[in-house]
């Protein structure tokens, strides 16, 4: 990975993670249900697969943001992922989600902090020699 691309490594990592989770949820929702400690009934499995397809679309947005360096989208993802722990925590507190769901909020918060650090850290501009103007 070139130095100019490493700045957005966290977005590539997040895109890979969300893609893996989306594919697992779509193709084998029972695996994630067991890891999360949530029972998955036959009636809920199709809805879990649908959520996996929706997550796949979300992960595609991360890939596009990383490839095209869409900084406003990346900053928006920092805010959104950084605040996920609050509604997840509230749903756990009200008994609408199992306590293991807190892990989702914590992972999102860690990803947001990593992306924030990557975006906020000044980098030396790397200029491709083939695009330098000749004098």
């Amino acid at each position: 990975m070139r130095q100019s691309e490493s700045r957005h490594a966290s977005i590539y990592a997040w895109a890979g993670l969300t893609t893996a989770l989306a594919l697992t949820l779509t193709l084998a929702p029972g695996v994630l249900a067991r890891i999360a400690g949530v029972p998955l009934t036959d009636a809920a499995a199709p809805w879990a697969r649908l959520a996996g397809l929706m997550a796949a679309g979300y992960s595609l947005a991360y890939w596009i943001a990383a490839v095209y360096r869409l900084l406003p989208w990346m900053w928006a993802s920092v805010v959104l992922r950084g605040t996920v722990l609050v509604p997840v925590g509230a749903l756990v507190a009200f008994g609408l989600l199992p306590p293991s769901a807190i892990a989702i909020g914590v992972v999102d918060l860690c990803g947001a902090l990593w992306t924030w650090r990557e975006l906020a850290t000044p980098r030396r501009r790397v200029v491709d020699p083939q695009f330098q103007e000749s004098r």
Side-chain angles (χ1 to χ4, degrees):
M1 186 179 316
R2 294 185 324 216
Q3 183 179 358
S4 62
E5 292 173 352
S6 67
R7 176 175 185 157
H8 309 297
S10 65
I11 294 294
Y12 281 106
W14 198 250
L17 177 64
T18 56
T19 300
L21 289 173
L23 289 173
T24 304
L25 191 56
T26 302
L27 301 174
V31 171
L32 288 181
R34 280 189 297 281
I35 291 171
V38 177
L40 184 66
T41 65
D42 289 340
W47 293 104
R49 290 179 195 279
L50 181 61
L53 290 174
M54 293 170 67
Y58 184 64
S59 70
L60 178 61
Y62 275 105
W63 286 112
I64 292 169
V67 169
Y68 292 101
R69 295 177 178 85
L70 302 176
L71 296 180
W73 198 94
M74 292 180 197
W75 279 111
S77 81
V78 169
V79 173
L80 294 172
R81 289 182 293 141
T83 58
V84 164
L85 188 55
V86 173
V88 169
L91 291 171
V92 168
F94 288 112
L96 300 172
L97 281 176
S100 60
I102 292 291
I104 294 168
V106 171
V107 169
D108 259 346
L109 179 60
C110 291
L113 292 172
W114 181 19
T115 303
W116 172 78
R117 191 192 74 199
E118 291 284 317
L119 292 172
T121 303
R123 305 277 192 226
R124 183 175 62 84
R125 186 168 179 218
V126 177
V127 178
D128 190 334
Q130 95 181 40
F131 294 111
Q132 286 181 340
E133 293 181 30
S134 58
R135 294 186 181 188

